[in-house]
Amino acid sequence: MDDCIFCQVIAKKLPSKMEYEDDDIAVFWDINPQAPTHLLVVPKKHIAKISDFKEEDMHILNKMVVIAKNVAVRLNLNEKGFRLVINEGRDSGQSIFHAHLHLLSGRRLMWPPG
Ligand code: AMP
Ligand code: ZN
């Protein structure tokens, strides 16, 4: 996906602050953080949005959550708490159409979200 920003980050054609990487998943710091810790957990396979995940992709979705949890624990975010967020579609504010999980922490997060 040549025109996809996250595919370019994964392919190292765009710079990023990479926190974790394996064959299936990349975790890098958000370029416009909404909290002191704001990471993006991104599948290496280009899947545009969460509703596009097919049955055969479910292991990737599962792994995204497990890795988000592992990174959160490694950075001690679980001591005070963290939030995982997935946006889909216009009304949610999704701006990058390569599915991703936001990992937010480091401040008191409001509920309900804006
Ligand atoms: P969403 O609005 O849920 O689609 O989230 C997309 C996120 O990607 C936003 O929080 C952006 O700040 C972030 N973002 C956009 N471009 C980059 C980039 N090159 N590197 C890291 N984060 C990015
Ligand atoms: Zn992509």
Side-chain angles (χ1 to χ4, degrees):
M1 288 285 168
D2 290 345
D3 56 349
C4 172
I5 286 175
F6 285 177
C7 282
Q8 290 179 44
V9 169
I10 288 161
K12 310 275 179 352
K13 291 177 183 162
L14 280 177
S16 72
K17 190 179 166 199
M18 196 63 73
E19 182 66 33
Y20 172 88
E21 197 174 6
D22 65 25
D23 287 348
D24 301 314
I25 309 283
V27 181
F28 50 89
W29 290 76
D30 197 290
I31 206 170
N32 182 26
Q34 301 303 311
T37 300
H38 187 173
L39 290 146
L40 300 169
V41 181
V42 183
K44 290 194 169 177
K45 180 176 179 179
H46 180 90
I47 302 172
K49 54 193 193 297
I50 208 73
S51 62
D52 286 343
F53 274 74
K54 300 195 172 21
E55 205 55 44
E56 65 262 26
D57 300 319
M58 284 306 151
H59 68 286
I60 301 175
L61 194 54
N62 182 55
K63 201 168 168 183
M64 285 165 66
V65 176
V66 171
I67 286 169
K69 182 272 289 180
N70 288 347
V71 170
V73 169
R74 182 156 53 80
L75 299 179
N76 293 321
L77 307 180
N78 55 316
E79 283 179 11
K80 287 189 172 173
F82 60 90
R83 184 173 293 168
L84 302 179
V85 174
I86 297 174
N87 294 320
E88 162 143 345
R90 187 197 60 191
D91 280 359
S92 76
Q94 184 179 8
S95 58
I96 303 281
F97 284 81
H98 178 133
H100 52 280
L101 196 57
H102 295 260
L103 169 55
L104 296 150
S105 186
R107 68 169 170 84
R108 191 69 178 261
L109 297 164
M110 298 299 114
W111 193 263

